[in-house]
Amino acid sequence: MKRVFAALAAALLCASGSSAVVVPVPEPDQSVIEGSVLPPKLSAFRLFWPDSSQPLESLTPYTLRTALFSDYTEKHRMFWIPKGRKASVAADGGIAFPVGSIIVKSFGWPDVNGGRPVETRLLIHRAEGWVALPYIWDADGKDATLALGGRRVAVSFKSPDGETHDIRYAVPNKNQCKECHSLSGEIVPIGPKARNFVLPAGATDYWRGITFDKPAALKPVMPQWDDPKSGSVADRARAYLDVNCAHCHNPAGSASNSGLFLRWTDDPTTVNYGIGKRPTAAGRGSGGMDFAIAPGDPDHSYMIYRLESTDAGIAMPEVGRSTVHKEGAALLRQWIAEMPKASH
Amino acid sequence: MRFHYLALPLVAALMVAVPTQARTIKIEAGAADANEKLQEALIVAQPGDVVELGAGTWHLTDGLSLDVANVTIRGAGTGEGGSILDFTGQQGAGEGLLVTSDDVFLTNFAVLNSKGDGIKSKGADRIVYHKLRVEWTAGPKETNGAYGIYPVESSDVLIDSVYVRGASDAGIYVGQSKNIVVRDSIATENVAGIEIENSYDADVHDNIATKNTGGILVFDLPSLPMQGGHNVRVFDNDVNDNSTPNFAPKGNIVASVPTGTGVLIMANRHVEIFDNDFDQNGTANVMIVGYRYEHKDPKYQPLPRQIVVRDNVHGKAGYAPAFDGGTQIAAAFGGAIPPVLWDGAGEDVIVLDKVGVLSLNLPDVATPRDQAKPAPADLSKGTPPAALPGITLPEAMEAKVK
């Protein structure tokens, strides 16, 4: 995917260098975004240059301070808000994209398919609500095909520590998209929150002002989980849990019945944050342990056991992970190990 | 003229009431991409549609899910020659089939060997589970999935004529739900056969719970979004030979259920146990206890209250009490403890059956169990609370299983 970014940067440079010729910047097809069809081909939305996985410059790339782990994929995130409409930033940091917006996320590995994306997921805000659609890129890399039922794709890649992984990567089906992107049974975006949302360096104040109703509220205050300079171990662990777990583990999410709530805003000292929490419906996910988090004792904390497993029925999160995020688990291990041991 | 005035509104009503043509989407097991086709059918289904599973076996590698309201999944049978969803090779998802929409009807198919739970429904109101088999075919193993049939956070739940075997937690588990009927079903060789947990208003009747560790459990646990379980009737069940050694992964609450338990009530209010047929439950036919673990939930009520045990038939029980000190107590009682066991905690625990009751005399749930002072107790003197009304489900749910 780095190659994609490089190509994108080159295209941008060319565009700025050829200012003498006024070429309208192509834009997504608003009638498809706001229509009711589920197009079988990704190209129908006109998000990418023809016959390529290179996104249009009219889409805004963004990054997250702390990102959801998905089998070491590199993710390329973009959004589009139709002209004349604004996203609003709520008091709790949620970003409400207007109808007609689309959020685009491409997944790939630098050493798979020459860095081209393997899949692209769309979150489309239509009048009746958000729609989540998964597309898998065709072998020739020119277009991607709707995979409503999801698919397993065999890939081989190296993680940052040099280990080779041969996995059957799971592209989620439409329902699995909703399992994570669900609040009280409705689909919602989960990544873009003010506390975690980073706009490109070149985003001007003018552009921010026409795109967001309260651009000043977009302050990415949450630590970056793998940057010790950005926060304490505990704060980075909480950021990691917020991004990797809290989309289900909140009172209106898919794991509401668990009573385990891991949002950035939840009190990290309570039973409902996992401290001394006994398994409820964990089954063999308990690993024979009594508590989700046993302070001072990561080896007897089944939160760690579930994060370090790839066995369906044990592994957490339940979808979207076929490998262990060793670095993330190590952070949580350190966090739990540093907690003062307490009698439960 | 008068005729026309009458007829016109009728026609109008018909036009409104008749939905767009409900479709039947048939999926064959043997087709190429059968798994993707099945999942896609569950995604593109419209309310009113029937997704029909052909006869045969699907070898599924991922969990299936349904999020469209008022859809029926109908198979060709639960046994050989039926519609078998085999998850032996499952690589992802926490359950075999997940339902998250209302008014869903599941009937006449089997879910085998899922890595996590068998069929889970969450926030799925008015769901009907009917003529299903959920089984871990190698029998009791700690590595089996936790729950066979698992509705949670739902109102109006009907589980009718299902067969569940091998769950390492509960075969049929209803959690954090309201208005529940579990009937005419068989739960065998699970840790818990049938469990009603943190739920309100349930009838569990005409089931067979046999060869589990514990037959039928009514529990309430702390620190969960819905708690204060109450109004549960357990009646007309056959609860016998629950003798399978406990194979639950440790840490889970059911790992503490003694082998040989018939019905176990923990920390609930207003539970009626009547007209059941008990036999061959080595620890006790009926056990009534408080929640004896430490917890930090000020809203939680750990005691059983208003429990009535009446008109049951008691066969042999108490001959192999599988809790610490049980063997010594049984010896002191001449080889078997009485068929009803109470830990001594709670209020208005009433036993009208003409059998013995053993109390451990531990009224405070904080008292360690090794301080038990076991002695016979007479619990027949209290005044039973007014009988609970039966559960009524919406007629449309009952119509589906007729």
Side-chain angles (χ1 to χ4, degrees):
Chain A
M1 189 145 342
K2 281 203 176 102
R3 193 173 293 178
V4 174
F5 295 140
L8 176 60
L12 284 168
L13 283 172
C14 290
S16 61
S18 59
S19 55
V21 186
V22 178
V23 181
V25 181
E27 293 182 349
D29 188 329
Q30 204 60 36
S31 67
V32 177
I33 292 175
E34 296 193 55
S36 57
V37 293
L38 310 179
K41 285 292 185 181
L42 180 60
S43 54
F45 290 95
R46 223 166 54 211
L47 304 165
F48 298 85
W49 286 97
D51 295 335
S52 83
S53 53
Q54 184 180 320
L56 299 184
E57 286 71 22
S58 51
L59 298 171
T60 303
Y62 68 94
T63 58
L64 300 175
R65 293 275 284 165
T66 291
L68 172 70
F69 174 77
S70 307
D71 287 335
Y72 293 102
T73 48
E74 283 188 359
K75 303 180 195 176
H76 189 193
R77 304 173 180 82
M78 298 165 286
F79 68 87
W80 159 258
I81 297 175
K83 295 258 168 4
R85 298 181 206 173
K86 283 186 183 184
S88 61
V89 186
D92 68 354
I95 300 173
F97 290 87
V99 169
S101 301
I102 188 163
I103 300 176
V104 183
K105 188 158 61 163
S106 294
F107 295 67
W109 294 264
D111 53 348
V112 174
N113 285 349
R116 291 204 314 268
V118 170
E119 57 149 336
T120 292
R121 305 179 193 171
L122 304 182
L123 270 179
I124 309 158
H125 199 181
R126 291 176 162 164
E128 70 270 22
W130 287 90
V131 178
L133 294 180
Y135 287 86
I136 298 176
W137 284 89
D138 301 339
D140 63 8
K142 291 183 172 178
D143 202 349
T145 303
L146 182 63
L148 280 182
R151 195 168 303 156
R152 292 255 169 198
V153 182
V155 291
S156 178
F157 66 90
K158 277 196 170 71
S159 51
D161 64 358
E163 186 183 342
T164 299
H165 301 265
D166 293 305
I167 63 167
R168 292 178 54 74
Y169 173 76
V171 177
N173 66 51
K174 185 168 178 277
N175 287 350
Q176 288 168 327
C177 294
K178 187 176 169 184
E179 274 179 61
C180 293
H181 286 269
S182 170
L183 205 62
S184 301
E186 300 296 325
I187 292 181
V188 293
I190 49 179
K193 294 189 182 80
R195 60 177 177 263
N196 198 26
F197 183 71
V198 183
L199 287 164
T204 62
D205 286 349
Y206 170 77
W207 178 84
R208 288 167 183 256
I210 60 167
T211 310
F212 297 95
D213 67 344
K214 290 188 284 289
L218 291 171
K219 287 200 189 106
V221 295
M222 206 158 73
Q224 184 177 321
W225 72 276
D226 58 350
D227 178 6
K229 292 193 292 295
S230 70
S232 65
V233 167
D235 284 349
R236 288 186 288 126
R238 285 174 50 225
Y240 188 89
L241 294 172
D242 179 86
V243 170
N244 282 275
C245 314
H247 45 272
C248 290
H249 281 283
N250 74 74
S254 290
S256 55
N257 57 298
S258 68
L260 179 68
F261 303 136
L262 299 170
R263 294 166 296 184
W264 178 250
T265 46
D266 285 313
D267 181 348
T269 65
T270 63
V271 170
N272 291 112
Y273 204 78
I275 311 288
K277 185 181 193 308
R278 294 179 185 281
T280 304
R284 61 204 181 92
S286 73
M289 302 172 204
D290 286 327
F291 305 112
I293 296 172
D297 193 353
D299 285 335
H300 291 92
S301 299
Y302 68 83
M303 175 187 279
I304 299 294
Y305 176 72
R306 303 193 80 166
L307 284 170
E308 292 182 346
S309 172
T310 56
D311 185 348
I314 296 175
M316 282 287 162
E318 288 185 342
V319 294
R321 186 171 72 73
S322 304
T323 50
V324 174
H325 189 204
K326 282 187 275 189
E327 299 79 5
L331 172 69
L332 296 182
R333 278 186 167 274
Q334 187 184 354
W335 168 57
I336 293 173
E338 290 176 1
M339 287 179 189
K341 281 196 186 189
S343 62
H344 301 293
Chain B
M1 281 307 283
R2 197 172 283 170
F3 174 79
H4 281 281
Y5 275 116
L6 277 171
L8 276 172
L10 265 176
V11 171
L14 277 172
M15 287 173 68
V16 172
V18 176
T20 52
Q21 187 78 43
R23 302 168 302 170
T24 295
I25 307 169
K26 180 145 190 189
I27 310 293
E28 299 295 349
D33 302 332
N35 295 356
E36 284 174 33
K37 284 209 172 71
L38 175 51
Q39 180 58 68
E40 283 188 16
L42 297 176
I43 287 170
V44 302
Q46 297 288 317
D49 285 352
V50 176
V51 175
E52 192 175 320
L53 308 175
T57 301
W58 279 260
H59 297 281
L60 292 145
T61 53
D62 273 286
L64 299 165
S65 55
L66 173 65
D67 189 44
V68 183
N70 194 22
V71 166
T72 295
I73 304 178
R74 174 179 287 126
T78 64
E80 228 169 287
S83 303
I84 313 296
L85 304 176
D86 185 341
F87 289 90
T88 303
Q90 188 178 4
Q91 297 168 18
E95 55 282 308
L97 171 63
L98 174 66
V99 177
T100 48
S101 46
D102 295 338
D103 298 293
V104 167
F105 179 32
L106 307 174
T107 184
N108 223 24
F109 60 89
V111 168
L112 306 185
N113 301 326
S114 57
K115 298 292 183 191
D117 304 312
I119 308 176
K120 176 178 177 180
S121 55
K122 178 169 183 289
D125 294 343
R126 297 174 298 282
I127 189 161
V128 177
Y129 292 87
H130 177 238
K131 287 191 184 164
L132 301 170
R133 173 167 67 108
V134 179
E135 184 173 1
W136 285 269
T137 52
K141 282 172 73 176
E142 185 177 319
T143 51
N144 292 350
Y147 301 140
I149 287 179
Y150 176 18
V152 66
E153 286 188 347
S154 302
S155 293
D156 300 318
V157 173
L158 174 57
I159 297 169
D160 183 321
S161 306
V162 304
Y163 173 91
V164 185
R165 172 173 179 254
S168 70
D169 196 304
I172 297 169
Y173 171 96
V174 185
Q176 302 182 60
S177 293
K178 295 176 185 169
N179 218 45
I180 301 146
V181 174
V182 180
R183 70 188 181 206
D184 298 319
S185 293
I186 299 173
T188 187
E189 293 187 273
N190 309 285
V191 174
I194 300 168
E195 182 172 357
I196 307 293
E197 189 168 280
N198 291 55
S199 290
Y200 310 158
D201 304 313
D203 276 356
V204 179
H205 69 93
D206 292 289
N207 303 286
I208 298 171
T210 184
K211 296 189 172 64
N212 306 287
T213 300
I216 300 174
L217 276 47
V218 183
F219 276 19
D220 200 60
L221 302 179
S223 302
L224 291 175
M226 179 170 165
Q227 58 192 42
H230 62 269
N231 292 10
V232 180
R233 307 194 309 164
V234 178
F235 60 99
D236 287 331
N237 301 287
D238 279 348
V239 184
N240 61 57
D241 193 20
N242 288 294
S243 52
T244 296
N246 196 316
F247 61 101
K250 285 179 189 57
N252 293 288
I253 188 74
V254 295
S256 64
V257 174
T259 302
T261 300
V263 169
L264 172 54
I265 300 160
M266 184 172 73
N268 253 257
R269 174 169 61 79
H270 208 158
V271 181
E272 299 176 0
I273 312 295
F274 59 97
D275 293 338
N276 300 287
D277 206 333
F278 291 108
D279 196 18
Q280 304 285 332
N281 297 302
T283 292
N285 285 336
V286 179
M287 197 186 309
I288 302 160
V289 300
Y291 180 84
R292 307 193 77 89
Y293 297 93
E294 265 188 62
H295 67 87
K296 293 169 184 158
D297 184 346
K299 299 186 299 292
Y300 179 66
Q301 169 51 265
L303 302 177
R305 291 146 293 147
Q306 294 176 293
I307 312 297
V308 181
V309 180
R310 63 173 174 86
D311 301 314
N312 300 289
V313 175
H314 290 266
K316 203 178 164 210
Y319 48 86
F323 54 86
D324 285 347
T327 310
Q328 292 87 327
I329 302 172
F333 276 82
I337 62 173
V340 179
L341 178 63
W342 179 41
D343 71 353
E347 297 158 10
D348 299 323
V349 175
I350 295 164
V351 179
L352 302 174
D353 288 348
K354 304 282 184 254
V355 293
V357 177
L358 178 69
S359 171
L360 299 180
N361 287 307
L362 295 168
D364 181 350
V365 289
T367 311
R369 271 173 225 215
D370 59 12
Q371 293 179 28
K373 298 180 185 66
D378 181 357
L379 300 179
S380 66
K381 303 299 184 207
T383 308
L388 290 167
I391 300 298
T392 305
L393 293 168
E395 192 47 48
M397 291 176 70
E398 296 285 2
K400 285 176 178 172
V401 300
K402 266 176 192 150

